[in-house]
Amino acid sequence: MKNKDDIFKKVISHAKEYGFIFQSSEIYDGLSAVYDYAQYGAELKNNIRSYWWKAMVQMNENIVGIDAAIFMHPTTWKASGHVDAFNDPLIDNKDSKKRYRADVLIEDYAEKLNQKAEKEIAKAAKRFGDSFDREQFVSTHPRVIKYLAEKEDVLKRMALALDNENLADVKALIEELGIACPVSGSKNWTDVKQFNLMFGTKLGASADSAMDLYLRPETAQGIFVNFSNVQKTGRMKIPFGIAQTGKAFRNEIVARQFIFRMREFEQMEMQFFVRPGEEIKWYDHWKEKRLNWHLSLGLGKEKYRFHDHEKLAHYANAAADIEFDFPFGFKELEGIHSRTDFDLKAHEEHSGKKLQYFDHEVNKSYVPYVVETSIGLDRMFLAVFSTALQDEKLEDGSERVVLKLPSVLAPVKASVLPLVKKDGLPEIAREILDSLKYDFNVNYDEKDAIGRRYRRQDAIGTPFCITVDHETKEDGTVTIRHRDSMEQKRVKISDLRSIIHEEVSVGNWLKNV
Ligand code: GAP
């Protein structure tokens, strides 16, 4: 049994070795927290995006999709609050000159306390076996109680200090807890300062007339500023949604954990505009709908949990994360936020334009309330990829590495393999490839023994391998091997399309949502 660190390392190395994800500009030693999606990664990412788009936009009559620009008028970010408040508290270690997020240093400390408690719990679980009652143990064991209480205290104190913008107290807490720099080991810290996460850039050629712009830190604002355009041209009636997918940029201070926290990433967001007073009903609706979308992929119910926010952003009246069990533990995958009328009102104030809706049913105009669903495409990629990657022991004692991706998302749906490189088999295989490529992403491989070719397809998650052999020439049949069961069946070439379609069609998968 591998530990979590090893599993995560394996995920990263597999993603590179099999052409899913490369470090950006690797030949120049890379750019930190920026990644390129390679030949199979780009396909997998596109498939996740399409699966989301189909479920959110095309399956809902009252949701439309847009594609707003990354550059937006700079006042957008003043109105949204990002210029003034999209900050992280940072602290430098004077000896190592390394920069950290002060809240992350404290959260890491709290996590260590949590791990100490978990260690005690695991030890007891082993000792007591089936009769172990976790809840009872956690509430009665003195050391576990102490660790967990200390963890809660630390997190509460930090939240209070951050809420009150009391950065001196954040530093005091780091000093009191004796947190040392992981690089230098020293406790020689600077004061804590706020650091804005937006990337600035300039529009225009001459230095005096150039306009300061930001790369968007979220896609949502492109939807808010287009609210009236879309509502009027689409004759949308409340409740309705506007969705989009696209790049977002954040100058993360602590960017780590591979594609979990990147500086350039992609979001898939939907803003649902509702009548004021009905937002909580819709918030509950979208929480359920979004979880069902995740569950439809079959990664396992136990991999997800909701984390309802107790502390809400100033514009929200309810918020929850869907957390996923990544190789480094449960972390935020998607956010569902009831954002009130904060954004539309702020844009009305800053633009001087009305962003209202006339509701014929109640015969009045109002600024709609908004329920948002916001998921990181890269995080979704990591969730799917890390869960799918499995080392499997086979009956004959050998091992295989298999990427058990939901077949609807698999980069390649079928690989066509002539058993040998002669006797006319490659020609038949290419004919099959040509007939399938209009409907599916398929590939062709004739190099190496058939077993090795199967393993190569297993490692990139291809659900089907189609083998052309001498019998094919006689009766027009091939063998089709399924990635997960490794079972092989003889089928007619003319049935291949429908067999593959049945297993990979988005429609079939989305029926479970
Ligand atoms: N419009 C709301 C919004 O942007 P958020 O919680 O800041 O909310 C939404 O981001 C989602 O975007 C997160 O749940 C996460 O999946 C993804 N995300 C945020 N920052 C990210 C980063 N630096 N790298 C990768 N994904 C990120």
Side-chain angles (χ1 to χ4, degrees), residues 473-512:
K473 283 169 58 171
E474 312 289 310
D475 60 5
T477 63
V478 288
T479 63
I480 186 160
R481 169 191 182 268
H482 198 277
R483 176 196 68 200
D484 299 346
S485 65
M486 293 190 296
E487 236 175 50
Q488 302 190 25
K489 274 194 202 145
R490 235 184 143 98
V491 301
K492 286 201 213 111
I493 292 175
S494 54
D495 288 342
L496 285 172
R497 198 190 154 280
S498 67
I499 295 173
I500 301 171
H501 176 83
E502 186 59 25
E503 168 119 0
V504 307
S505 102
V506 175
N508 282 349
W509 283 77
L510 279 179
K511 278 191 190 123
N512 302 326

Side-chain angles (χ1 to χ4, degrees), residues 218 220 250 252 259-262 265 267 269 332-335 337 339 372 374-376 379:
E218 62 172 12
R250 296 183 188 179
E252 301 279 1
I259 55 170
F260 181 81
R261 194 177 302 286
M262 299 155 88
F265 59 100
Q267 289 185 316
E269 298 199 297
E332 175 185 343
L333 169 60
E334 169 157 9
H337 314 122
R339 292 180 74 125
E372 154 183 271
S374 175
I375 174 169
R379 280 194 194 175

Side-chain angles (χ1 to χ4, degrees), residues 112-157:
K112 279 192 194 124
L113 292 168
N114 194 40
Q115 279 167 12
K116 281 185 186 170
E118 284 299 332
K119 224 173 164 176
E120 297 280 354
I121 297 167
K123 261 199 306 197
K126 210 168 161 191
R127 208 168 50 239
F128 292 114
D130 285 347
S131 63
F132 182 63
D133 181 339
R134 184 185 162 103
E135 221 169 281
Q136 194 198 358
F137 184 78
V138 168
S139 59
T140 52
H141 190 272
R143 270 200 303 275
V144 171
I145 292 174
K146 180 176 149 287
Y147 291 141
L148 293 181
E150 201 185 329
K151 177 192 128 187
E152 286 307 313
D153 284 351
V154 165
L155 292 178
K156 261 200 197 130
R157 163 115 178 252

Side-chain angles (χ1 to χ4, degrees), residues 89 91 155 182 272 306 348 354 358 390 397:
I91 190 165
L155 292 178
F272 200 69
F306 276 115
E348 275 199 330
K354 280 222 171 312
F358 184 75
Q390 294 175 22

Side-chain angles (χ1 to χ4, degrees), residues 164-197:
N164 297 335
E165 300 206 6
N166 187 349
L167 299 181
D169 198 38
V170 177
K171 181 180 179 187
L173 182 58
I174 289 176
E175 287 175 337
E176 276 167 40
L177 297 174
I179 296 176
C181 166
V183 175
S184 65
S186 99
K187 297 174 189 166
N188 194 7
W189 297 108
T190 62
D191 287 341
V192 178
K193 283 177 285 208
Q194 289 290 16
F195 173 78
N196 193 288
L197 298 187

Side-chain angles (χ1 to χ4, degrees), residues 14 44 97 137 140 202 221 342 439 498 508:
H14 193 90
L44 174 53
K97 310 273 182 264
F137 184 78
T140 52
K202 287 196 184 293
Q221 299 303 325
F342 172 84
D439 295 306
S498 67
N508 282 349

